Amino acid sequence: MIYGVSYIAIAFFLVFVSFVLGLSFYFARKTKSASNYYAAGGQIHWAVNGVAFAGDYLSAASFLGICGMIAMVGFDGFIYAVGFLAGWIVALFLVAEPMKRLGKYTFTDALNAKFNSRGITLAAAISTLVISIFYLIPQMVGAGDLVTPLLGFPHWVGVVLVGIIVIFIVSTAGMTSTTYVQFIKGGLLIVFSTILAVYIFNNGLNLKPSIGDMKHHEYMLLDAQVDAGKVIAVDGYSVVSQQEVKGMQVVKIDKDGISRWFNLVEVAGAFKLSEMLSIAESETGELLYNGEPKDGRKFYQVGHMSKIIVDGKEVEKTGPIGPFKFLSTIENGEIVRLTELKFKDEDRKVSAYYQNVTSGKDFMLPGLKYKIGKGSTFWDKMDFVSLMLALFLGTAALPHILIRYYTVPSQRDARKSTILAIAAIGFFYILTLFMGMGAAVNGVFDVESSNMSAPLLAKAFGVGLFSIISAVAFATILGTVAGLIIASSGAIAHDLMDNYMQRNPTDEQKVKAGKVAAFAVGILAIGLGIAFKGMNVSFLVGWAFAVAASANLPAILFILFWDKTTAKGIIASIVSGIVVSLGIILTSPTMWDKYGFDAADALHRLENPAIFSFTISVLVLYFVSLATQKSNIRVANVS
């Protein structure tokens, strides 16, 4: 998409970043001990921690990714929100208080509290790093997507910018400043998302949405002369080529040296060519947007309704509308979605987006992305169940979430923080439904990056709201990335260097090692964020949840609730969870496409590994523990 620079947005961005950096300088003077650096000294108030929990959890996946996924595939996108929220039930009832009781600085401390095992330390530290890195990728991708319309920079500049700022935050003040950044951005995100929802309801629904400076794009529908299924002539255009792609006839036509892509459709018994948006490689390798260079600004934001029914009558617009009426009107109408077709034109890659008219009922029910009903395959059903399993079980096993239990004074505070977090997160996810639906029908969807749906919707209502929403979204990414890097640096400096290598460093040395580790992880996150450009961040986070559920959760639950658990069982479970989940992910159709191969040739059809990797991890832990009972020697009996 082509974006213009907003100087108001830049001003908001600079103010917010300056505030965050100032906060880091302030708390840096108080961060002297390892306890302060990794766990904020365990003195954060439960209410602050609860909102910080929400701020940490409501990452780029929640704000950018879920809104974008809903705008793209309707209710299937909201499934992520349902799964993310449901996972907190596991955290509240099974994990919150025991984790506070067993741990000190990191997830590994809690896992190894009953065993003095260097093997557990090594396995858990590696697990923390793998999960944190997988979770960092979508945050950095979201950062690059966000900075492009906000500051006018390329995607990679946004990734680097976030990386530098977060490395500074973490390497100066650690968990204390990270907590308050998360607290502030969590509160702001909920407040301004509520305001954006109010704008959506006040604007209502319109067949030709034109909000502010954003104008509705009218798609061309050209008369075509067809003989035996082949387009032979189009008034005013030259027919260049025609090919079949996934059962559709795709036609390339030329006018004044500019080539465009259309698909052949039949309307009221007559053949027509329906305009598609396209991104195609030229002979020189330059990308052409609808046949012109990007600077030609001929690529558009899309998404609108083709039918609106109110009280049984078709109307052009509704005017202001309430939240329940908003959803029911969408359900009774029709939405024009843009669906991607990938093909080649003389060995040059083309991505074309055709108009896909979808009934509101289909949009508001599962099935557009995850095929689980009639016509779905075995792999379709397995993929959906696997995704829900990962989202439900992954939350309680995310290292950067678990370490937040160590920032409050008591187990009771840990429970109260979790309850407040559930309330805040649940309310926000209700808002994502309205923001995603609003983006789908108000002509603000960017087919190149679904992640930009919520910010672009805000931009349609005014540059001021866009500036604030974008700054808050940027803060969302900063807070989550900071939490992930804290967890990663703790795994390297505290778990590996101190506990595993047994170097017995001083508090000052622990803090210094944590800062160096934060720098290294930050650099790695920058590289991965650039490499995964263009992927939906919620989809990527689903992978992180799957690895967490497979590698960490079985070990946590067995330690808490099964006395026969052994150290070797835990180690084997963590390793098998990591290996199996990563193996399935790295050979999935999505990654096959990322490698440059045809996704249809992938080794299997599964995108989400949890249904197999979690099950295998549980079975491995159970049977290895039974087989190693003689070695089940505990250093403490913590119940």
Side-chain angles (χ1 to χ4, degrees):
M1 193 59 62
I2 300 95
Y3 299 108
V5 177
S6 168
Y7 293 104
I8 297 177
I10 292 174
F12 273 100
F13 170 81
L14 293 176
V15 168
F16 198 89
V17 169
S18 299
F19 173 75
V20 169
L21 296 180
L23 203 64
S24 297
F25 277 120
Y26 173 76
F27 285 113
R29 294 177 298 175
K30 300 183 178 183
T31 305
K32 304 298 181 184
S33 68
S35 175
N36 277 323
Y37 183 77
Y38 293 112
Q43 296 302 312
I44 299 296
H45 189 275
W46 68 265
V48 173
N49 199 56
V51 177
F53 253 136
D56 200 357
Y57 196 69
L58 298 177
S59 62
S62 293
F63 183 56
L64 302 180
I66 291 178
C67 290
M69 191 76 83
I70 292 171
M72 182 166 54
V73 293
F75 187 82
D76 279 356
F78 190 62
I79 285 173
Y80 279 86
V82 174
F84 286 153
L85 181 61
W88 279 94
I89 305 303
V90 179
L92 174 62
F93 289 106
L94 297 180
V95 173
E97 293 186 49
M99 287 302 294
K100 172 60 182 175
R101 182 169 67 246
L102 294 175
K104 185 179 180 183
Y105 296 149
T106 66
F107 154 73
T108 306
D109 288 339
L111 209 58
N112 206 19
K114 297 180 179 181
F115 308 94
N116 189 16
S117 169
R118 294 178 68 206
I120 289 179
T121 298
L122 178 62
I126 291 173
S127 173
T128 297
L129 286 172
V130 170
I131 295 165
S132 297
I133 289 169
F134 260 83
Y135 210 109
L136 277 167
I137 294 171
Q139 311 308 318
M140 303 306 281
V141 169
D145 286 345
L146 187 62
V147 165
T148 298
L150 184 64
L151 304 179
F153 295 144
H155 179 274
W156 70 267
V157 175
V159 175
V160 172
L161 190 61
V162 167
I164 291 173
I165 295 172
V166 171
I167 289 171
F168 177 82
I169 293 171
V170 174
S171 63
T172 52
M175 181 55 87
T176 305
S177 64
T178 297
T179 295
Y180 282 98
V181 168
Q182 290 165 344
F183 170 77
I184 292 166
K185 69 96 168 177
L188 290 176
L189 184 62
I190 293 171
V191 168
F192 283 101
S193 294
T194 304
I195 293 172
L196 180 54
V198 171
Y199 271 94
I200 294 169
F201 304 143
N202 188 60
N203 182 69
L205 299 169
N206 194 325
L207 292 178
K208 297 180 179 180
S210 297
I211 311 170
D213 295 332
M214 188 277 299
K215 302 300 180 186
H216 174 67
H217 174 62
E218 295 281 358
Y219 294 92
M220 289 188 287
L221 192 64
L222 307 177
D223 293 324
Q225 297 181 36
V226 179
D227 182 23
K230 293 291 184 181
V231 177
I232 56 175
V234 181
D235 288 344
Y237 292 83
S238 300
V239 179
V240 179
S241 64
Q242 181 175 343
Q243 59 179 294
E244 182 176 326
V245 182
K246 294 184 177 179
M248 298 177 59
Q249 292 297 319
V250 178
V251 183
K252 183 181 182 182
I253 60 177
D254 184 279
K255 183 177 183 180
D256 299 329
I258 298 174
S259 296
R260 304 283 298 274
W261 291 94
F262 288 71
N263 66 305
L264 183 64
V265 297
E266 191 172 350
V267 180
F271 286 107
K272 305 279 187 178
L273 287 182
S274 176
E275 178 188 2
M276 298 194 293
L277 302 186
S278 64
I279 304 173
E281 290 180 334
S282 68
E283 295 179 358
T284 62
E286 178 188 13
L287 288 182
L288 298 178
Y289 290 76
N290 288 345
E292 299 187 35
K294 196 168 188 176
D295 292 342
R297 306 181 71 84
K298 292 298 174 65
F299 207 64
Y300 311 102
Q301 294 166 203
V302 294
H304 67 282
M305 297 190 73
S306 58
K307 181 186 290 185
I308 299 174
I309 299 176
V310 177
D311 298 328
K313 297 180 180 179
E314 286 195 38
V315 298
E316 185 172 330
K317 58 184 178 180
T318 64
I321 193 171
F324 295 108
K325 190 70 172 178
F326 176 82
L327 295 178
S328 64
T329 304
I330 291 178
E331 183 180 14
N332 293 327
E334 291 180 347
I335 298 171
V336 179
R337 301 164 51 235
L338 272 286
T339 303
E340 184 178 16
L341 282 179
K342 287 186 176 182
F343 54 93
K344 288 190 175 181
D345 175 37
E346 298 180 352
D347 294 328
R348 293 190 292 273
K349 294 180 180 179
V350 178
S351 290
Y353 303 85
Y354 67 92
Q355 298 174 70
N356 186 351
V357 179
T358 304
S359 75
K361 286 183 173 62
D362 289 340
F363 196 70
M364 298 288 282
L365 290 172
L368 292 182
K369 180 174 175 62
Y370 297 105
K371 311 296 182 183
I372 56 177
K374 186 178 179 180
S376 62
T377 66
F378 169 80
W379 288 111
D380 291 333
K381 293 182 175 69
M382 286 298 99
D383 202 40
F384 177 77
V385 173
S386 190
L387 171 65
M388 295 311 297
L389 189 66
L391 298 182
F392 185 72
L393 299 179
T395 299
L398 292 171
H400 72 291
I401 295 296
L402 294 173
I403 62 173
R404 186 149 292 292
Y405 288 120
Y406 309 140
T407 64
V408 292
S410 68
Q411 296 172 44
R412 184 168 178 267
D413 287 331
R415 183 178 68 252
K416 290 162 69 177
S417 291
T418 307
I419 294 171
L420 178 59
I422 291 173
I425 292 167
F427 178 68
F428 175 79
Y429 281 148
I430 292 173
L431 297 175
T432 63
L433 178 62
F434 296 113
M435 291 188 288
M437 294 287 180
V441 300
N442 278 306
V444 298
F445 186 75
D446 179 354
V447 295
E448 282 192 285
S449 175
S450 62
N451 301 320
M452 285 308 300
S453 296
L456 290 177
L457 180 61
K459 189 175 184 180
F461 290 119
V463 69
L465 184 60
F466 165 71
S467 303
I468 296 172
I469 287 285
S470 296
V472 171
F474 192 82
T476 295
I477 295 169
L478 287 182
T480 303
V481 172
L484 288 164
I485 292 182
I486 282 283
S488 301
S489 65
I492 294 171
H494 176 68
D495 298 336
L496 292 178
M497 296 180 63
D498 184 5
N499 294 339
Y500 180 72
M501 297 179 183
Q502 297 181 340
R503 293 186 176 182
N504 299 317
T506 64
D507 257 17
E508 185 178 348
Q509 289 171 328
K510 285 183 182 180
V511 173
K512 184 176 180 180
K515 292 178 179 181
V516 173
F519 180 82
V521 173
I523 296 299
L524 177 61
I526 289 172
L528 291 171
I530 294 171
F532 281 81
K533 174 187 176 183
M535 294 186 69
N536 182 275
V537 293
S538 281
F539 179 80
L540 290 170
V541 162
W543 284 351
F545 273 65
V547 179
S550 305
N552 289 355
L553 191 62
I556 293 172
L557 296 181
F558 272 70
I559 280 180
L560 294 177
F561 303 109
W562 195 46
D563 288 338
K564 292 184 179 181
T565 303
T566 67
K568 290 181 179 178
I570 294 170
I571 296 166
S573 174
I574 293 174
V575 172
S576 62
I578 293 173
V579 171
V580 175
S581 58
L582 288 183
I584 294 174
I585 288 170
L586 295 176
T587 56
S588 67
T590 293
M591 288 304 298
W592 224 244
D593 183 65
K594 200 72 179 173
Y595 301 145
F597 305 134
D598 188 342
D601 296 331
L603 300 183
H604 56 83
R605 307 308 306 158
L606 199 64
E607 295 284 6
N608 299 284
I611 193 168
F612 293 112
S613 53
F614 175 76
T615 304
I616 290 172
S617 181
V618 168
L619 293 174
V620 166
L621 201 160
Y622 177 75
F623 286 113
V624 172
S625 290
L626 286 181
T628 56
Q629 283 300 296
K630 291 183 180 180
S631 63
N632 190 20
I633 301 173
R634 304 190 179 198
V635 298
N637 183 19
V638 184
S639 58

